[in-house]
Amino acid sequence: MSALKDRLTDGVYGLGWSTVKRLPEPVAAGLGRRIADFTWKRRGKSVLRLESNLARVVPDATPERLAELSKAGMRSYMRYWMESFRLPTWSEERVGKDVDIKGAEHLLDGIASGRGVIIALPHLANWDLAGVWVTRTLGVPFTTVAERLKPETLYDRFVAYRESLGMEVLPHTGGSAFGTLARRLRAGGLVCLVADRDLSASGVEVSFFGDTARMPAGPAILAQQTGALLMPVTLWYDDTSVMRGQIHPPLDVPESGTRAERTAAATQALADVFADGIADHPEDWHMLQRLWLADLEERPASGADREASPASDRDEPSDRDEPSDRDEPSTPAPAQAADRNPGRDRDGERTA
């Protein structure tokens, strides 16, 4: 049964990449909206979890407003998938026209400084599209991390897809990702990590919309170990075909205190910037999983519900600590996203 399910999962994603990218743009966009509306109406676990998360982001929202936000959120999530299936066909001109990200000077100045730059993002809008904008429009290559998915053929598809977009993709498992990322940064390179969810014991506890959540320690630890600049990025969709974003100025990584204290302070600073971006555009935050510790305590975490942290917040991290973007959905297909937890494996990712 497991082998059959793996083949089905791989086949559905393969169909998406091979078929959706050939559809006319309006047809693909309409298909994404129909899938989103269908899954939203089914009120599956992921849709209900999305509404629960949005209730923390918009605490004064009425039930009607939360329903509107979750419907818009599912449309935004499916827009991500329709765009991602089609991204390999996008021209450099198309990327330049449909992506508008302010603050590029922060990234370019950081690269020019030779210190290396760590871009950290939450699950907002389409980070793959932002990555294409970085490689094609700015001409800056970068390295990221992807969790090994099951089946292996699906993981290979995601790696090939991202590499076709100009990214260097490292496997999260194997013990070498952290060391490779550190070497890229010490050589003055760019590392990009999705960093708003980490459920492992080594994640850093942060205050997030008034309650405690865990986020990966990897970005902050890499910044400390290598001296690289740590820059948050927030993204959002507007009412057109354009995705917009902001590259924020580098965060101050504390120089005093224990390593754990410095890691906690830098990770909290990231969380604060993420929270501002999410509060401004809650419908574009694709968080269909449990995030806050209080929600996790509703039931014991199983192996399927936890994600190994890319890097530890212990005082002396080694090159075996691995930061991750924690992100490819383990859902067998976007159409089933409302009923499955895309954060499992998602590394259970949507990352990638």
Side-chain angles (χ1 to χ4, degrees), residues 234-316:
T234 50
L235 307 169
W236 64 92
Y237 291 125
D238 63 13
D239 294 329
T240 71
S241 63
V242 177
M243 184 184 76
R244 304 191 185 277
Q246 178 69 49
I247 300 174
H248 299 268
L251 297 177
D252 291 329
V253 178
E255 297 182 358
S256 61
T258 66
R259 182 164 304 198
E261 290 170 343
R262 286 177 282 150
T263 298
T267 305
Q268 181 64 62
L270 269 181
D272 292 342
V273 177
F274 292 170
D276 288 342
I278 293 165
D280 287 341
H281 304 279
E283 69 278 4
D284 290 323
W285 189 40
H286 307 158
M287 187 55 65
L288 283 68
Q289 307 84 28
R290 298 169 188 265
L291 176 66
W292 284 271
L293 301 192
D295 294 335
L296 294 169
E297 290 168 0
E298 294 174 8
R299 67 175 183 192
S302 67
D305 295 321
R306 295 177 57 127
E307 294 177 4
S309 172
S312 168
D313 61 348
R314 59 182 180 268
D315 284 347
E316 294 296 333

Side-chain angles (χ1 to χ4, degrees), residues 104-288:
E105 67 276 8
H106 300 307
L107 173 56
L108 295 175
D109 289 349
I111 295 297
S113 74
R115 291 180 57 181
V117 174
I118 304 160
I119 290 291
L121 312 88
H123 287 82
L124 275 169
N126 191 335
W127 42 95
D128 284 336
L129 179 53
V132 172
W133 178 81
V134 168
T135 58
R136 295 185 185 174
T137 303
L138 298 186
V140 179
F142 69 87
T143 302
T144 188
V145 177
E147 185 78 5
R148 284 198 175 276
L149 303 178
K150 296 296 184 181
E152 189 75 12
T153 51
L154 179 59
Y155 170 78
D156 292 340
R157 284 186 189 275
F158 275 110
V159 170
Y161 157 66
R162 289 194 169 86
E163 289 181 342
S164 76
L165 302 178
M167 311 174 191
E168 179 188 22
V169 182
L170 305 177
H172 177 257
T173 56
S176 63
F178 188 88
T180 300
L181 293 176
R183 287 191 291 274
R184 298 290 184 270
L185 291 168
R186 291 186 179 111
L190 173 64
V191 164
C192 297
L193 301 169
V194 179
D196 58 344
R197 182 174 186 260
D198 190 328
L199 304 186
S200 74
S202 57
V204 176
E205 292 190 2
V206 297
S207 176
F208 198 56
F209 290 103
D211 209 340
T212 303
R214 286 198 193 103
M215 294 187 180
I221 291 178
L222 279 169
Q224 291 178 66
Q225 286 200 182
T226 67
L229 299 169
L230 178 58
M231 294 184 191
V233 171
T234 50
L235 307 169
W236 64 92
Y237 291 125
D238 63 13
D239 294 329
T240 71
S241 63
V242 177
M243 184 184 76
R244 304 191 185 277
Q246 178 69 49
I247 300 174
H248 299 268
L251 297 177
D252 291 329
V253 178
E255 297 182 358
S256 61
T258 66
R259 182 164 304 198
E261 290 170 343
R262 286 177 282 150
T263 298
T267 305
Q268 181 64 62
L270 269 181
D272 292 342
V273 177
F274 292 170
D276 288 342
I278 293 165
D280 287 341
H281 304 279
E283 69 278 4
D284 290 323
W285 189 40
H286 307 158
M287 187 55 65
L288 283 68

Side-chain angles (χ1 to χ4, degrees), residues 77 80-81 122-123 127-128 144-147 149 158 162 193-197 307 324-330 342-352:
Y77 183 59
Y80 162 86
W81 278 108
H123 287 82
W127 42 95
D128 284 336
T144 188
V145 177
E147 185 78 5
L149 303 178
F158 275 110
R162 289 194 169 86
L193 301 169
V194 179
D196 58 344
R197 182 174 186 260
E307 294 177 4
S324 164
D325 54 9
R326 309 301 309 160
D327 116 294
E328 228 45 79
S330 60
R344 299 180 182 179
D345 270 338
R346 195 180 178 156
D347 303 355
E349 307 178 2
R350 185 182 80 182
T351 104

Side-chain angles (χ1 to χ4, degrees), residues 40-85:
W40 178 79
K41 288 178 181 177
R42 292 182 64 186
R43 310 294 290 165
K45 291 182 180 179
S46 291
V47 172
L48 296 177
R49 176 52 54 189
L50 176 62
E51 283 190 9
S52 176
N53 291 339
L54 290 172
R56 292 179 178 271
V57 175
V58 190
D60 58 348
T62 63
E64 293 76 16
R65 175 58 177 154
L66 283 176
E68 291 174 358
L69 282 174
S70 67
K71 183 175 183 179
M74 290 307 298
R75 286 191 170 192
S76 176
Y77 183 59
M78 290 305 154
R79 176 173 171 175
Y80 162 86
W81 278 108
M82 294 299 110
E83 286 179 345
S84 294
F85 285 143

